[in-house]
Amino acid sequence: MKITAAITAVQGYVPPYILTNAELETMVDTTDEWITSRTGIKERHIQREPGKATSDMAAEAVKLLLAKKNLSPNDIDIILVATTTPDMLFPSTACILADKIGATNCWAYDISAACSGFLFALQNGASYIQSGQAKKVLVVGADKMSSIIDYTDRNTCVIFGDGCGCVLLEPNTEGLGVIDSLLRVDGSGRQFLNQKAGGSLNPATAETVAKREHYVYQEGKTVFKFAVKNMADVASQVMKRNNLTADDVTWLVPHQANLRIIEATREYVGLPAEKVMVNIQKYGNTTNGTIPLCLWEWESKLKKGDNLILATFGGGFTWGAIYLKWAY
Ligand code: UT7
């Protein structure tokens, strides 16, 4: 019997502090009107507690997920953490997370694909389940974007927020779970969205700090154009090759980078607004957190057999879409 990888639980966590557009108006030359009309964002959550990192948000979410499913940390075979803001360059945030939740019976690693990381990790996790190599895989998307955002740069500081979502993948024999995926990269896009320093190309020096090269750099307009085209394109291709019309799709779950990109994708694939998960107004762009945070917030509305199209675009460039049948 064919084994598919089904999501059997989902959980989210966002830190308590809320940074509103009104507060941003006091920090940089911006307005609530500009932010709302250009991005759709009203507020975002920020992890302010000293000494807390990406792994701490992930640990909160995973502990809640395990409690919900009545599982012990040692039931988990593999932990995959998609993040762009790891606690450290090494060891991986996945290792730190395993320690913080007390998982001593698994292996774990990070996946780096900017805003597409969660979908890349989901496909990765699904492969372990489908091949029979694992029975329980935790796929986590977590980012403390505030740790790499320049709060004097109005071009980027209004967009991002902190947060985490995670899912549990388990084998399914009813044909539910991850059905198809189409994932892509184009590394020539790296010049438009990056963090210039802190890696092996430009290790940290007093100069890189003075030049503010440890923060997110984005050429917004260019990224916007690529995002609109590619996200819509893969979502539509995945629908077509699985013979799904707009009527067959129950939910579109888009990466939450900009409400205008979400709208353009929705229009291109021909779905009504009621079928699209949108929570960007509350969280901003949480990078790897956006898609699992949507699934978590919509969990009570999802039904067994629902057809979900997950779609994303991010730095790299990276992009992709996954067709998923909800399993519970
Ligand atoms: O998730 C990873 C992938 N990332 C994305 O998908 C993001 C894609 N890009 C975007 O979402 C949009 O390009 C932004 C939201 C980043 C910017 O929106 P835009 O409509 O493309 O604006 P723009 O960058 O072209 O800037 C238009 C004007 C500029 O002023 P001038 O040059 O026309 O005088 C900016 O300086 O808006 C100005 N501006 C702002 N004004 C008020 C830029 N940021 C702000 C701000 N408040 N926060």
Side-chain angles (χ1 to χ4, degrees), residues 30 34 38 115 154-155 218 220-221 255 258 260-261 285:
T30 191
W34 191 96
R38 298 291 179 117
C115 297
R154 69 176 185 175
N155 289 295
Q218 173 167 254
K221 253 193 170 42
H255 171 51
N258 186 315
R260 291 183 291 147
I261 299 174
N285 182 350

Side-chain angles (χ1 to χ4, degrees), residues 114-115 160 189-195 216-219 223 313-317:
C115 297
F160 294 95
R190 66 188 179 278
Q191 59 186 302
F192 304 114
L193 180 49
N194 57 47
Q195 180 187 331
V216 169
Y217 169 82
Q218 173 167 254
E219 288 181 31
V223 177
F313 184 87
F317 294 135

Side-chain angles (χ1 to χ4, degrees), residues 23-289:
E23 187 176 353
L24 280 165
E25 284 177 352
T26 70
M27 296 161 63
V28 289
D29 181 15
T30 191
T31 60
D32 172 51
E33 201 283 317
W34 191 96
I35 302 170
T36 307
S37 62
R38 298 291 179 117
T39 70
I41 302 165
K42 285 294 201 185
E43 54 191 40
R44 61 296 284 141
H45 289 246
I46 302 293
Q47 193 181 39
R48 283 227 164 147
E49 210 182 319
K52 296 284 183 186
T54 296
S55 66
D56 295 293
M57 290 188 287
E60 293 285 345
V62 169
K63 281 180 192 165
L64 289 167
L65 181 142
L66 294 176
K68 245 172 33 179
K69 291 292 284 183
N70 208 9
L71 289 173
S72 138
N74 283 338
D75 293 330
I76 302 302
D77 299 316
I78 304 173
I79 302 175
L80 303 177
V81 176
T83 186
T84 304
T85 50
D87 289 22
M88 311 179 195
L89 279 182
F90 78 90
S92 71
T93 303
C95 285
I96 300 169
L97 174 62
D99 179 52
K100 285 185 176 170
I101 63 168
T104 55
N105 197 27
C106 67
W107 58 295
Y109 57 93
D110 288 0
I111 288 183
S112 169
C115 297
S116 305
F118 182 77
L119 288 201
F120 283 29
L122 188 62
Q123 174 53 43
N124 216 232
S127 302
Y128 290 117
I129 299 279
Q130 287 154 9
S131 67
Q133 287 183 68
K135 294 269 183 283
K136 287 186 173 51
V137 180
L138 269 178
V139 182
V140 181
D143 272 302
K144 181 181 173 180
M145 291 307 290
S146 61
S147 67
I148 55 166
I149 291 300
D150 180 353
Y151 285 96
T152 66
D153 175 13
R154 69 176 185 175
N155 289 295
T156 50
C157 76
V158 303
I159 300 169
F160 294 95
D162 301 340
C164 169
C166 58
V167 300
L168 179 67
L169 288 176
E170 293 186 273
N172 183 283
T173 51
E174 299 173 275
L176 302 171
V178 174
I179 307 296
D180 191 17
S181 71
L182 180 54
L183 306 171
R184 289 287 178 268
V185 305
D186 176 0
S188 69
R190 66 188 179 278
Q191 59 186 302
F192 304 114
L193 180 49
N194 57 47
Q195 180 187 331
K196 296 197 182 338
S200 59
L201 178 63
N202 299 306
T205 62
E207 198 191 345
T208 62
V209 172
K211 286 163 77 181
R212 309 186 86 78
E213 288 180 349
H214 295 268
Y215 293 123
V216 169
Y217 169 82
Q218 173 167 254
E219 288 181 31
K221 253 193 170 42
T222 309
V223 177
F224 187 95
K225 278 183 207 151
F226 278 95
V228 166
K229 182 184 177 307
N230 288 310
M231 217 164 104
D233 199 48
V234 279
S236 130
Q237 278 192 58
V238 163
M239 281 169 62
K240 274 202 191 102
R241 74 184 192 187
N242 289 282
N243 298 315
L244 295 170
T245 66
D247 285 343
D248 302 321
V249 174
T250 328
W251 294 102
L252 173 67
V253 192
H255 171 51
Q256 313 277 309
N258 186 315
L259 189 57
R260 291 183 291 147
I261 299 174
I262 296 172
E263 275 296 297
T265 306
R266 175 187 78 73
E267 273 177 29
Y268 189 81
V269 299
L271 285 176
E274 314 84 74
K275 286 188 171 188
V276 186
M277 296 187 191
V278 178
N279 58 14
I280 191 171
Q281 69 283 1
K282 291 196 286 180
Y283 303 129
N285 182 350
T286 55
T287 303
N288 286 283

